[in-house]
Amino acid sequence: MKYLKMERDGEVVQITIDREDKLNAMSLDVMNEFITVLEELEKDSSKVIIITGEGKKAFSAGADIEYMSKIGPTDAEKYALRGHEVLNKIEKIGKPVIAAINGYALGGGCELALSCDIRFASANAQLGQPEVTLGICPGWGGTQRLLRIVGPARAKDLIFSGRRIGAEEAVSMGLVNKVFPPETLISETRSYAREVAKNSNFAVGISKMLVNKGMDASLETGLKLEIYSWALCFSTKEREERMASFLKRK
Ligand code: DAK
């Protein structure tokens, strides 16, 4: 790996975009490495994934503008498809993914964070969708995922203005779950991830799927899906053991 670092801390895995000199902008090579890493994490025994950026300045300043300025339509198509593939994989992987937003999360960087399940930010973080300032609309799901997370009025405000918002404003609109001082963002995120990792990964994974599917389904369909998923939990040994251990706790 040239652009991604992977660190394992028990059942928690941290992926760090390692292009600090370019504010962790994501070229096609970065996206290709994401695919390799995510395919490994889909199969291994890790339970929670953290994504962050190297350094104190940026989570990711977005798609690589220098790279985009040089490519033709064939590479642009590859780039577009790869980006969607990465973000869809993050959204669909059967374990929680937490974005630890340690600075700028702009354009594709914000879209990467939007594909994660939970977003923690450092107090100096700046989020935004500045694509319209470059003559393009958000292209890695920004219009769709932002809409679902903060609602249409706030999504339109951010996309039409291209303005950057700080961590506190991001929390107030539900875009970020929690803010931490820059120096404790990673330790707090890891500690939260370890807490989540103590729970049944089957139950957490199936809950992630239910919430995601529920966003696009009718209440009736979502509730039906929940009933069958809940029943499926009764097929696991882990459910049996966890309930038995609760009953024996005294
Ligand atoms: N791409 C490439 N390099 C970048 C970059 C980016 N997005 N952002 C920063 N850099 C590079 C700078 O060029 C500079 O490199 P050197 O000149 O030192 O070699 C280095 O990182 C440090 O940046 P600055 O010198 O600009 O640092 P400042 O502190 O002065 O400013 C900044 C920080 C974040 C305000 C500024 O760098 C900035 O505005 N960056 C651009 C942010 C942005 O507009 N991001 C959105 C990009 S558009 C697609 C789907 C989606 C997308 C693309 C395609 N398809 C479907 C194909 C997504 C589009 C985007 O993300």
Side-chain angles (χ1 to χ4, degrees):
M1 294 288 165
K2 191 167 167 206
Y3 300 112
L4 294 184
K5 278 193 311 195
M6 209 160 107
E7 283 166 77
R8 286 180 190 271
D9 171 16
E11 291 165 316
V12 175
V13 174
Q14 182 176 315
I15 304 170
T16 306
I17 307 170
D18 193 13
R19 280 190 90 197
E20 194 178 352
D21 57 329
K22 296 289 177 191
L23 303 188
N24 303 316
M26 295 176 289
S27 61
L28 179 62
D29 291 337
V30 175
M31 288 312 193
N32 285 337
E33 289 192 10
F34 258 116
I35 293 290
T36 307
V37 167
L38 290 166
E39 280 174 354
E40 183 183 330
L41 295 177
E42 271 166 356
K43 289 179 242 138
D44 74 5
S45 59
S46 63
K47 288 172 80 172
V48 183
I49 300 165
I50 297 170
I51 299 179
T52 192
E54 185 60 42
K56 293 195 168 50
K57 208 169 157 185
F59 173 74
S60 170
D64 190 324
I65 302 172
E66 196 184 339
Y67 172 74
M68 283 192 289
S69 71
K70 291 181 192 148
I71 56 176
T74 309
D75 284 332
E77 187 192 4
K78 267 192 219 151
Y79 193 37
L81 292 171
R82 253 326 192 209
H84 277 279
E85 207 182 323
V86 169
L87 273 53
N88 290 342
K89 264 193 189 300
I90 291 171
E91 198 168 65
K92 292 198 177 114
I93 196 166
K95 42 190 107 178
V97 184
I98 307 170
I101 305 169
N102 54 312
Y104 292 115
L106 303 174
C110 189
E111 289 168 312
L112 174 68
L114 292 172
S115 72
C116 297
D117 302 299
I118 307 266
R119 282 161 291 281
F120 291 150
S122 62
N124 66 328
Q126 298 249 309
L127 294 89
Q129 298 289 162
E131 285 89 343
V132 293
T133 68
L134 295 168
I136 51 178
C137 63
W140 278 331
T143 58
Q144 302 308 303
R145 292 195 177 95
L146 191 60
L147 157 71
R148 284 163 172 73
I149 294 167
V150 302
R154 286 172 170 143
K156 285 174 184 169
D157 160 26
L158 292 179
I159 294 166
F160 297 172
S161 67
R163 74 188 177 93
R164 299 202 292 253
I165 58 167
E168 289 302 340
E169 188 176 352
V171 168
S172 76
M173 58 172 76
L175 180 49
V176 155
N177 293 71
K178 212 166 172 185
V179 181
F180 296 104
E183 51 290 356
T184 60
L185 172 71
I186 294 299
S187 58
E188 293 282 0
T189 305
R190 285 189 179 194
S191 143
Y192 176 88
R194 282 194 292 271
E195 283 306 307
V196 173
K198 285 181 192 159
N199 297 325
S200 153
N201 57 336
F202 183 81
V204 170
I206 213 161
S207 302
K208 168 171 172 168
M209 180 278 291
L210 286 168
V211 174
N212 285 350
K213 292 282 175 209
M215 274 195 285
D216 294 324
S218 67
L219 180 61
E220 196 188 353
T221 305
L223 291 175
K224 268 272 184 274
L225 203 55
E226 188 187 78
I227 289 169
Y228 292 114
S229 301
W230 188 79
L232 194 60
C233 295
F234 285 74
S235 67
T236 71
K237 187 95 188 129
E238 190 178 17
R239 192 274 316 162
E240 223 173 278
E241 287 166 359
R242 281 176 179 262
M243 286 189 179
S245 113
F246 173 82
L247 295 172
K248 275 197 234 130
R249 74 194 182 286
K250 284 178 198 141

